[in-house]
Amino acid sequence: MHTTPPLPADATDPESENRRDRLLAGLTLMFGVALVLLVPFALKEGSPFFLPLTAAIVIAIALVPVLEWLERHRVPAPLAALTCVVLFLTAANAALASIVVPAWGWVSILPERIDNIQSNVKPLIDFYANLESFVNKVIQELASSRPIQPAAAAAESPPRSILELFATSAPTAFIEMFFAILVIFFFLSGWTRLRRKAITSRTSFGGAMATARVIQDVVDDTSAYLGTITAINVSLGLVVAGALWLIGMPTPLMWGGIVALLNYIPYLGPILASALLALGGLMTFDDVWTALLPAAIMIGLHLVEANFVTPLVVGRRLTINPILILISLSFWGWVWGTPGALMAVPLLIIIQTVLNAAGKPDIAGFLFEHGTLVAGAGPLPPRPAADRETVVDSPEPPV
């Protein structure tokens, strides 16, 4: 009598299959954690490539509504993309020209205004001089028995002027800017085909609808944030410029542009703008209280904007926990410096929108027996659009 040989135990034992699956999940989790830890250093080291690429994608996503409006009016995709790029470059060049050219004049006269700054802050300088003399005397007494070793000469001297620094970094900056412009143009010119292919390549109707929803949410949230915050920042800059013009501050449009630009950086941007206005006031006016008036005007107007105007305009839909903003600001500022800080909030919007739409798989619960850490398995359903949260520029608590 012919008998079928028994199957191996691991082919029929459900417990063996569960152990194997949990092992694979554990290895996947380990590789995922390693990837997350390595990505920031890769982004930092590869900033000449990743920074202009990321900035171009964020700008292109924000320009998609303009592109779609032009295409609805029967403008060909390449011409519509070129129009969007030209409009963006025109606005950016106008903004930079109103800031950079006057700022260069302020930097050039800074050495001549040192005496005026010193006379305004003479009490503080006297206090610091007395404190420095006391500290130096203590250090000399403590180190009298030891010869002070001369400092080692630097291997490479730093740039001696802003012009020298710009001359050494200009070719790289020009190449990165040109690369970013090309990415914006080709991203916009192929946007319609890219979106259609991403949707139609899904094998199920539900998958196609989920993909379309994610793409639309990313575009809507990013463009709504940048459009709303840009309008608020430009208005704040114009109001600050008008107030500075009334008190006789030179180049008020430049200061308004600086305020509008730095206001894109939550928390730290307004502080830096106030410090620059205080320095400009000390360079311009002879009385210390009048010199500090520009910074006081900026702080007062920013408090009104952050606590009344922005909440009234954006409402609850564009609010989020400020801790996430601080984490994003710290991370992208560490990775890419000031450009990263400027893009911290839009990148947070994009990442959060994708994660909210994709759901949260129960990896840890599956790894440590089903449902041990997180109840339920599989992705959570996306929240309705009315309940979805995005990010606001100035989420400071009311004063």
Side-chain angles (χ1 to χ4, degrees), residues 141-308:
E141 291 178 355
L142 292 177
S144 58
S145 60
R146 295 186 189 175
I148 300 177
Q149 299 293 333
E156 184 178 357
S157 60
R160 291 167 293 181
S161 65
I162 295 179
L163 181 61
E164 183 179 349
L165 178 62
F166 179 77
T168 56
S169 61
T172 303
F174 176 78
I175 293 174
E176 292 178 3
M177 181 180 66
F178 184 70
F179 170 69
I181 292 173
L182 289 180
V183 171
I184 295 174
F185 172 76
F186 287 114
F187 184 93
L188 292 175
S189 62
W191 167 253
T192 303
R193 294 193 309 272
L194 178 64
R195 182 179 59 179
R196 184 183 299 113
K197 184 177 180 181
I199 296 174
T200 56
S201 62
R202 304 296 101 179
T203 58
S204 64
F205 178 77
M209 293 300 296
T211 302
R213 183 170 60 248
V214 171
I215 294 175
Q216 195 62 41
D217 288 345
V218 169
V219 171
D220 290 345
D221 292 343
T222 306
S223 58
Y225 165 78
L226 289 177
T228 304
I229 297 305
T230 298
I232 292 175
N233 291 349
V234 170
S235 301
L236 176 64
L238 291 176
V239 174
V240 170
L244 296 180
W245 175 76
L246 291 176
I247 66 173
M249 186 77 170
T251 61
L253 286 179
M254 180 203 75
W255 294 110
I258 291 176
V259 169
L261 179 63
L262 293 179
N263 206 46
Y264 281 99
I265 305 177
Y267 306 114
L268 301 180
I271 296 175
L272 181 57
S274 302
L276 292 176
L277 279 170
L279 178 61
L282 292 173
M283 293 173 58
T284 304
F285 302 104
D286 296 330
D287 180 64
V288 63
W289 300 112
T290 307
L292 296 178
L293 187 58
I297 291 175
M298 190 274 158
I299 293 174
L301 291 176
H302 171 71
L303 290 177
V304 173
E305 173 265 323
N307 293 281
F308 299 101

Side-chain angles (χ1 to χ4, degrees), residues 32-87:
V33 171
L35 183 63
V36 169
L37 293 177
L38 291 176
V39 162
F41 297 96
L43 294 175
K44 187 177 180 67
E45 293 298 325
S47 60
F49 171 76
F50 290 110
L51 175 58
L53 176 64
T54 306
I57 292 176
V58 171
I59 294 171
I61 292 175
L63 292 174
V64 164
V66 181
L67 175 78
E68 293 177 342
W69 183 86
L70 292 173
E71 290 183 343
R72 284 196 299 269
H73 289 75
R74 302 184 182 279
V75 179
L79 182 58
L82 181 61
T83 303
C84 292
V85 172
V86 170
L87 290 176

Side-chain angles (χ1 to χ4, degrees), residues 1 56 59 69 90 98 107 114 189 236-237 278 311 321 332 363 380 393:
M1 179 178 179
I59 294 171
W69 183 86
T90 301
S98 65
V107 172
I114 295 297
S189 62
L236 176 64
N321 191 339
W332 294 111
I363 298 177
L380 296 175
D393 169 56

